[in-house]
Amino acid sequence: MEISTLPISASQRGKLISAGYTSLSSLSSLSPSSLAQDLKISETEALQILKVASQRNGLNKFENGSRAIVNGAQTAWDMLHEEESSIRITTSCSDLDEILGGGISPKEVTEIGGVPGIGKTQLAIQLAVNVQIPADYGGLGGKAIYIDTEGSFMVERALQIAEACAQDMLEYNSLLRKDFKPCQVNKEPKEFLDNIFYFRVCTYTEQIAVINYLEKFIFEHKDVGKVDYLEVKVIIIDSITFHFRQDFEDMALRTRLLGGMALKLMKLAKKFNLAVVLLNQVTTKFMDGSFQLTLALGDSWAHASTNRIILYWNGNERYAYIDKSPSLRSASASYTVTGKGIRNSASNCKRVKLM
């Protein structure tokens, strides 16, 4: 259960959420003195909050007085079949899709990091558009949630990429007309923009609040014409890092807040069968006698995602490298940012033509 359901004052709920306590389970092992110190309140007030939380948590541990509320188990065979049949979100770069096993996977958290100007936001906007490709064209036909912490989302750029995607669909349709019945689903560029839900957050507390609100938001945006079909198929945060690299003196608090967000996003990905894409910045770390670039937020954050992709320059070419994944081998692929969006690099296209 969420902290927002507790029958306590709004100021107390706000203090709990700001300190990183977003669920009742996060309070279960705390002492009144520890909570009082974290919230900067009296131990008496902290004890009262813990009592209320304990009572509310106790009401939800059992159903009908005896049976625990636990989700049913899933067999490994079902999991394999589900993974093999799942549709991924294409990046519009076939080389990048190839090393990703077809694209960005649903039910997983994928972290994408790299230096400024490497194309992180470009790739994020591309995914927000591509998740809407209809099922007739091999896509998910879903919608996107875009949480912008840096103000880097450009609606004009999203429109350019949407126009290119719509044109690609028309060209695909014309190819099908020769031998097969063409697809009947056509999308206008404006429709792509209508299906991107944009949140601009300016503080880390706003970021936490939006993430806590996402589950309700996703339920509210069901496709009423389809049973159990949830329209939102990707959540993008650009970037997860920004508000947590500024004015944070309490690193323990930062770690707890980030851990709570990561857990919430993992649950959303699994529960709603959607992809979560987190953009990250880079920092320097002293390793092997020299300073080297590494993704921000520290070693503990490295475990928050299922897949980790690092974007980097190799000369004048952009490359993506799979740094961590339980199901994908480490590999690199080149890509480029064009007026139409993310595409195969020009040099790679030349090599293909020569072969």
Side-chain angles (χ1 to χ4, degrees):
M1 287 190 65
E2 302 302 323
I3 291 296
S4 58
T5 64
L6 282 181
I8 56 178
S9 70
S11 63
Q12 289 173 331
R13 282 197 295 270
K15 287 178 181 178
L16 285 167
I17 292 171
S18 296
Y21 300 107
T22 58
S23 64
L24 296 186
S25 59
S26 63
L27 297 174
S28 59
S29 59
L30 278 179
S31 66
S33 59
S34 297
L35 184 62
Q37 184 177 0
D38 286 344
L39 303 190
K40 295 180 174 56
I41 58 176
S42 67
E43 286 196 24
T44 303
E45 187 177 357
L47 178 61
Q48 186 60 37
I49 291 173
L50 291 174
K51 282 183 178 178
V52 172
S54 177
Q55 291 168 357
R56 180 57 62 97
N57 204 25
L59 291 174
N60 289 276
K61 283 183 180 177
F62 298 96
E63 184 179 38
N64 299 327
S66 60
R67 184 167 58 87
I69 302 175
V70 179
N71 290 329
Q74 185 181 22
T75 68
W77 175 256
D78 288 339
M79 291 171 66
L80 177 63
H81 176 71
E82 190 175 89
E83 184 174 326
E84 289 177 342
S85 61
S86 67
I87 300 172
R88 298 174 180 246
I89 307 170
T90 177
T91 63
S92 290
C93 171
S94 59
D95 295 330
L96 183 50
D97 283 348
E98 185 176 351
I99 67 170
L100 290 171
I104 301 297
S105 179
K107 282 198 170 184
E108 294 180 355
V109 178
T110 299
E111 180 183 15
I112 301 173
V115 297
I118 195 65
K120 299 186 297 294
T121 296
Q122 300 289 324
L123 180 54
I125 295 174
Q126 185 77 63
L127 294 172
V129 170
N130 287 359
V131 73
Q132 303 176 47
I133 295 173
D136 285 351
Y137 294 86
L140 285 170
K143 296 186 178 184
I145 291 174
Y146 200 107
I147 301 172
D148 185 1
T149 68
E150 301 185 25
S152 54
F153 180 85
M154 300 160 286
V155 69
E156 296 85 359
R157 182 59 173 147
L159 180 59
Q160 287 179 343
I161 293 174
E163 288 171 342
C165 186
Q167 184 61 39
D168 288 343
M169 288 168 58
L170 286 174
E171 291 176 4
Y172 179 75
N173 227 3
S174 65
L175 289 173
L176 283 182
R177 244 183 232 112
K178 296 176 181 178
D179 301 304
F180 303 99
K181 183 179 178 181
C183 301
Q184 299 300 316
V185 180
N186 291 312
K187 288 178 72 73
E188 295 295 326
K190 178 183 176 297
E191 293 180 63
F192 285 99
L193 299 187
D194 281 339
N195 293 331
I196 299 175
F197 301 111
Y198 176 80
F199 293 88
R200 176 72 171 100
V201 297
C202 299
T203 65
Y204 77 86
T205 51
E206 284 183 15
Q207 186 171 329
I208 293 169
V210 169
I211 290 172
N212 287 334
Y213 170 61
L214 287 180
E215 183 170 356
K216 181 182 178 184
F217 182 87
I218 292 169
F219 270 121
E220 288 174 347
H221 289 81
K222 262 188 172 184
D223 186 336
V224 294
K226 299 179 181 178
V227 179
D228 294 333
Y229 182 85
L230 296 168
E231 287 192 324
V232 173
K233 288 298 178 184
V234 67
I235 297 170
I236 298 166
I237 304 181
D238 180 9
S239 67
I240 193 74
T241 327
F242 186 70
H243 296 306
F244 290 89
R245 296 187 72 182
Q246 305 178 41
D247 303 325
F248 253 100
E249 295 179 2
D250 188 343
M251 290 296 104
L253 171 61
R254 188 181 86 158
T255 299
R256 188 164 63 245
L257 290 172
L258 287 168
M261 279 198 305
L263 183 60
K264 169 71 73 173
L265 291 167
M266 288 177 191
K267 287 181 177 178
L268 288 172
K270 293 286 186 185
K271 183 173 184 177
F272 298 118
N273 190 26
L274 54 80
V276 175
V277 177
L278 310 176
L279 303 191
N280 196 353
Q281 301 171 349
V282 295
T283 186
T284 54
K285 183 178 181 181
F286 191 76
M287 295 183 293
D288 300 326
S290 64
F291 286 98
Q292 300 178 24
L293 285 177
T294 185
L295 296 192
L297 299 180
D299 293 335
S300 60
W301 175 254
H303 303 288
S305 58
T306 315
N307 308 298
R308 179 174 254 200
I309 303 167
I310 298 177
L311 309 181
Y312 65 96
W313 291 100
N314 185 3
N316 293 324
E317 287 197 28
R318 292 177 168 93
Y319 276 80
Y321 171 70
I322 298 178
D323 182 59
K324 184 195 89 166
S325 175
S327 58
L328 302 170
R329 65 181 180 85
S330 295
S332 295
S334 61
Y335 68 96
T336 189
V337 179
T338 72
K340 293 183 176 182
I342 304 298
R343 294 293 187 271
N344 286 347
S345 67
S347 61
N348 197 41
C349 290
K350 290 176 183 176
R351 285 197 296 269
V352 171
K353 288 178 182 178
L354 289 172
M355 290 176 64

